Amino acid sequence: MDIKALRTKLSGTITSAFQTYAKKEEKPASSSSAFWIMVQKEFGDHIRSWRFAILMGIILLACIGSVYSAVTALRSGSAAEQAEEGFRFLQVFTLSDGTLPSFISFVTFLGPLMGIALGFDAINTERSKGTLSRLVSQPIYRDDILKAKFVSTLLVIAVAILALGLLVMGLSLIVIGYPPTAEEVWRVLLFLLTAIVYVGFWLNLSILFSVRFRQATTSALAGISLWIFFSVFYSMILNLIAKGAAPSSTAGTEEVMDYQRLMMMLNRLSPSELFNEANMTLLMPSVRSLGPLTMEQVVGALPSPLPLGQSLLLVWPQLTGMIAATMICFGLSYLLFMRQEIRSRS
Amino acid sequence: MAPHIENAELAVELSGLSKAYGDHLAVNKLDLTIPKGEIFGLLGPNGAGKTTTILMMLGLTEPTSGVVRVLGLDPARNALEIKRRVGYMPDDLGFYEDRSGLDNLIYTARLNGLSGEAARESAKRLLERVGLSAAGGKKVGAYSRGMRQRLGLADVLIKRPEMIILDEPTLGIDPKGVSELLELITRLSKEEGITVLLSSHHLQQVQQICDRVGLFVSGRLVACGGLEELSKSLEEQHAVIVEVEVDGWTEELRRELEALEGVASIRHVAEHPNGRQTAAEVACSSDLTAKIAGAVVAKGAGLLGIRRRSYSLDDVYRRYFEGGDTYGH
């Protein structure tokens, strides 16, 4: 009898446990899963879009071109003076024979285009197509929409950049037949990571514009003009300032150093300059400092390449700067988006 | 935190609700209650504040002042819970054009917490329900306006809502499509006990299916109630109108009719091209249908038709909206 009672009791407990389990199953999914569903959908949209195919086409061409140009440069032996230090493999990314720019200058130039092209219509097209008002009436947090847009596009960018970088590595491995060392592989991977952060900044900037401007064309134009400003006009403006602020030829060391620091500060306001400094340090281990060095500092230094850890330390501020700029853009778009009233197609 | 339920029988409860955009008062001290299971029509011209009111109910915009309760919940605090239980179809609804109708539905279903397989199942079922199962695999870009609207309805229903809010659901579809859509809405509401709030500036449509209507003019609810209620309030103040169609209308007959006791005025409505048949509206203080008919026949004219006009929402509407600013201010 006892056993029977126990059995009934036990089965009752199990049933109720199952019921609670079943109830949990029925419970509407948490908002985090809604977030990942949105990311999934956005990711799919990007991959299927013509825009992405065209972008990849351009960048792929640029990659092949830069590898070709680097390989001809390597063959002609223009890298002889650097080659003795090793890291010959990394030169595939930095070297150019003069006909086509190197891989890093391609990434510096085309990366922003990729970020802008994938983000400029993130919010405003949803708005003008009337899908945004439908989306915000679903049980999801509004900021998840913005986050999903950012995360999915960044994922697409990360996949694309990693694929391209590894493609270039593989291609050059075949062409020059010279295997990379472990450190070189790490340096390339870190460089690709910086590139992702850099493109991520431009992506966030264009998402900010897409929240701010109702017209997709306006936001694309705003993004592109900022990109052109930084890649063409900013250095010209800096030159003007440099001429005006240059110390006289009789100025002391302190004055010259101050001037140098000021110019560098201004230069580093540009995200592309930050990216340049970062990838130079990562891909050219012989770069020892990004600022001016006095004679005292150089005396006694061995002219050897920096170990990876030291190079990383050197670019840490640049990386932090880029991430901070990304955060600021994201924060601004968040602020704007959360306060906006969403009516259909207006 | 347990949501505070004020009155479980009410689907919507608005009191003293106002919304200002700068100086412009879009919604002005609105009081409205909608019991559960009702089909309520929010009727008003464009820019009357209908959409703004709906947005406030869903917590998509904040009221300047006043209290909103939807299903007993405060949209400012429990917006997510409300959106889980209330389906909203915006007036100019859009879908992801390069995805199929089925995909669009599945996406909404999954955002509402359905798992992949369950989402597909219920999306298919709903497509069938709104008569789109054949077009489910087509891209939404190829859908006609009426199909979109029906897809919109499926999209709203996929979360199994307790209440649906339809903003101008009949906008831009042909009459046949309208009646089909409205029939669908009515059937759904009755079968599943869903509260329906629909806004429109098309009164004939609202008239067909709504249990109650609210007339909305420049941010104010000027009248609210069932159709009979509204008509009655109109009749009390207005004269009875008798529409008469006569073959062989003469000035003499007109004078005769005007001479009848209680006739206030006669309005010529339309004249047949042959110059004989005429339709007229006779306004009188009481029901004179029989007397008018007698007078016409006694004059030897052919009585083609006579009827006492019953007030449709049309008249109510015209009175409030076309009557100008004298009402409701």
Side-chain angles (χ1 to χ4, degrees):
Chain A
M1 279 309 272
D2 260 358
I3 291 175
K4 206 172 184 183
L6 200 69
R7 236 163 134 191
T8 340
K9 202 177 165 192
L10 204 65
S11 74
T13 331
I14 291 171
T15 322
S16 70
F18 263 111
Q19 273 163 352
T20 35
Y21 178 72
K23 246 182 214 154
K24 260 191 197 141
E25 282 284 273
E26 261 175 38
K27 221 181 92 182
S30 60
S31 67
S32 77
S33 82
F35 169 70
W36 286 110
I37 288 162
M38 278 192 275
V39 170
Q40 240 176 49
K41 184 234 155 220
E42 294 295 329
F43 192 83
D45 276 357
H46 277 309
I47 297 288
R48 288 182 206 186
S49 68
W50 272 105
R51 185 192 321 185
F52 184 68
I54 292 169
L55 267 179
M56 285 308 280
I58 295 177
I59 295 173
L60 206 67
L61 272 181
C63 278
I64 295 170
S66 68
V67 170
Y68 172 77
S69 140
V71 167
T72 23
L74 271 175
R75 283 219 179 111
S76 66
S78 70
E81 65 273 13
Q82 271 194 27
E84 64 206 37
E85 295 161 12
F87 299 110
R88 194 175 292 150
F89 193 79
L90 289 182
Q91 290 173 350
V92 175
F93 291 91
T94 56
L95 223 55
S96 141
D97 68 345
T99 52
L100 271 172
S102 64
F103 184 74
I104 48 171
S105 29
F106 263 128
V107 172
T108 319
F109 188 68
L110 291 178
L113 183 68
M114 190 174 178
I116 292 168
L118 290 178
F120 77 93
D121 62 349
I123 300 295
N124 47 21
T125 303
E126 293 249 2
R127 196 196 298 277
S128 62
K129 288 239 166 104
T131 45
L132 191 60
S133 60
R134 215 161 49 82
L135 206 55
V136 293
S137 63
Q138 305 305 328
I140 49 173
Y141 292 109
R142 198 190 272 204
D143 50 342
D144 274 353
I145 299 174
L146 210 58
K147 278 192 285 182
K149 289 274 178 195
F150 174 62
V151 169
S152 61
T153 318
L154 197 67
L155 270 177
V156 171
I157 288 170
V159 169
I161 286 182
L162 281 176
L164 286 174
L166 296 178
L167 191 74
V168 168
M169 271 178 95
L171 215 60
S172 43
L173 202 60
I174 295 170
V175 178
I176 64 174
Y178 185 88
T181 61
E183 189 183 334
E184 281 174 318
V185 173
W186 276 115
R187 278 178 184 272
V188 171
L189 286 181
L190 282 170
F191 155 67
L192 294 177
L193 201 73
T194 348
I196 292 169
V197 173
Y198 176 58
V199 178
F201 161 73
W202 287 98
L203 167 68
N204 239 324
L205 190 73
S206 65
I207 288 181
L208 170 63
F209 287 142
S210 85
V211 174
R212 176 64 190 79
F213 301 115
R214 299 288 162 104
Q215 298 283 334
T217 41
T218 317
S219 98
L221 203 62
I224 289 174
S225 42
L226 213 60
W227 168 49
I228 290 177
F229 173 77
F230 275 124
S231 51
V232 179
F233 295 109
Y234 194 64
S235 56
M236 279 160 62
I237 294 171
L238 277 189
N239 275 340
L240 280 180
I241 297 175
K243 272 184 196 140
S248 65
S249 51
T250 56
T253 324
E254 275 306 302
E255 247 176 284
V256 175
M257 286 291 278
D258 279 349
Y259 164 71
Q260 283 292 342
R261 272 197 207 106
L262 172 76
M263 288 320 294
M264 197 139 29
M265 241 271 296
L266 289 176
N267 218 338
R268 282 177 181 162
L269 286 180
S270 153
S272 57
E273 177 61 24
L274 288 181
F275 178 61
N276 260 335
E277 288 183 357
N279 60 34
M280 256 168 42
T281 317
L282 284 173
L283 292 179
M284 299 181 191
S286 53
V287 172
R288 304 183 62 93
S289 164
L290 292 167
L293 284 176
T294 58
M295 280 310 284
E296 295 98 83
Q297 284 170 307
V298 179
V299 165
L302 295 173
S304 61
L306 284 183
L308 179 58
Q310 292 300 313
S311 288
L312 257 184
L313 269 183
L314 204 57
V315 299
W316 199 244
Q318 273 73 13
L319 213 57
T320 318
M322 279 195 277
I323 293 175
T326 312
M327 293 290 203
I328 289 171
C329 286
F330 190 74
L332 280 178
S333 32
Y334 190 90
L335 204 69
L336 278 175
F337 187 59
M338 295 305 272
R339 303 292 307 168
Q340 267 174 359
E341 186 182 276
I342 294 158
R343 278 166 182 268
S344 50
R345 305 200 187 205
S346 55
Chain B
M1 190 192 72
H4 176 56
I5 294 178
E6 307 225 320
N7 188 341
E9 290 306 303
L10 291 180
V12 176
E13 200 180 355
L14 310 175
S15 65
L17 190 65
S18 296
K19 173 75 182 178
Y21 291 104
D23 286 339
H24 173 66
L25 217 53
V27 176
N28 190 0
K29 295 199 186 65
L30 178 66
D31 295 302
L32 178 67
T33 52
I34 302 174
K36 282 187 178 167
E38 189 177 73
I39 302 184
F40 187 87
L42 208 52
L43 193 60
N46 297 329
K50 291 171 299 190
T51 303
T52 310
T53 310
I54 290 171
L55 290 185
M56 283 191 283
M57 284 184 207
L58 289 164
L60 293 179
T61 185
E62 291 163 38
T64 310
S65 67
V67 181
V68 186
R69 290 287 179 274
V70 176
L71 302 170
L73 298 163
D74 181 359
R77 291 173 177 279
N78 302 92
L80 230 54
E81 181 65 22
I82 289 180
K83 287 178 196 168
R84 201 166 279 144
R85 290 160 64 183
V86 178
Y88 166 53
M89 186 165 110
D91 53 349
D92 197 355
L93 84 170
F95 291 96
Y96 298 105
E97 309 261 319
D98 47 357
R99 299 265 180 143
S100 70
L102 186 66
D103 278 351
N104 269 290
L105 277 190
I106 290 175
Y107 185 47
T108 310
R110 296 199 62 199
L111 287 182
N112 279 287
L114 267 69
S115 68
E117 209 35 56
R120 179 168 291 272
E121 282 297 305
S122 57
K124 278 190 175 154
R125 207 180 51 241
L126 273 168
L127 277 179
E128 203 167 312
R129 185 118 206 224
V130 297
L132 283 177
S133 44
K138 268 205 286 183
K139 287 189 176 173
V140 179
Y143 277 27
S144 70
R145 180 86 211 197
M147 285 160 88
R148 270 160 197 273
Q149 225 66 6
R150 276 186 286 167
L151 185 62
L153 200 58
D155 183 72
V156 162
L157 290 170
I158 203 157
K159 61 171 84 165
R160 306 195 139 274
E162 292 166 41
M163 172 177 170
I164 53 178
I165 299 177
L166 310 171
D167 200 352
E168 302 277 6
T170 55
L171 203 68
I173 25 182
D174 56 62
K176 184 164 165 279
V178 168
S179 62
E180 276 173 13
L181 188 77
L182 291 177
E183 198 182 307
L184 195 62
I185 293 171
T186 325
R187 209 168 63 223
L188 287 167
S189 163
K190 298 302 171 216
E191 278 171 15
E192 315 208 351
I194 301 174
T195 314
V196 180
L197 170 65
L198 78 135
S199 90
S200 181
H201 61 255
H202 258 280
L203 58 140
Q204 284 89 351
Q205 301 161 358
V206 170
Q207 187 175 348
Q208 274 173 30
I209 66 166
C210 287
D211 299 326
R212 278 199 315 149
V213 291
L215 298 186
F216 222 68
V217 184
S218 43
R220 280 163 172 274
L221 195 67
V222 293
C224 178
L227 196 56
E228 292 104 72
E229 234 173 292
L230 286 181
S231 305
K232 204 173 280 171
S233 76
L234 200 68
E235 255 171 84
E236 280 163 10
Q237 295 159 36
H238 258 234
V240 174
I241 304 254
V242 177
E243 290 173 344
V244 60
E245 233 179 296
V246 176
D247 184 12
W249 179 270
T250 54
E251 269 310 299
E252 206 180 331
L253 177 60
R254 185 194 180 95
R255 279 196 295 277
E256 183 92 0
L257 288 179
E258 269 171 352
L260 281 176
E261 196 179 339
V263 169
S265 67
I266 295 176
R267 194 160 69 94
H268 227 58
V269 180
E271 197 163 326
H272 202 268
N274 65 17
R276 286 175 57 79
Q277 292 175 10
T278 297
E281 280 178 3
V282 183
C284 26
S285 56
S286 59
D287 190 358
L288 294 178
T289 316
K291 280 190 183 165
I292 291 169
V296 170
V297 173
K299 267 279 154 220
L303 184 62
L304 298 176
I306 186 163
R307 73 186 180 96
R308 184 182 155 213
R309 181 189 296 167
S310 63
Y311 283 92
S312 67
L313 207 51
D314 225 332
D315 307 284
V316 182
Y317 192 75
R318 199 178 299 147
R319 179 179 156 214
Y320 280 112
F321 301 157
E322 290 161 19
D325 291 342
T326 46
Y327 298 103
H329 280 269

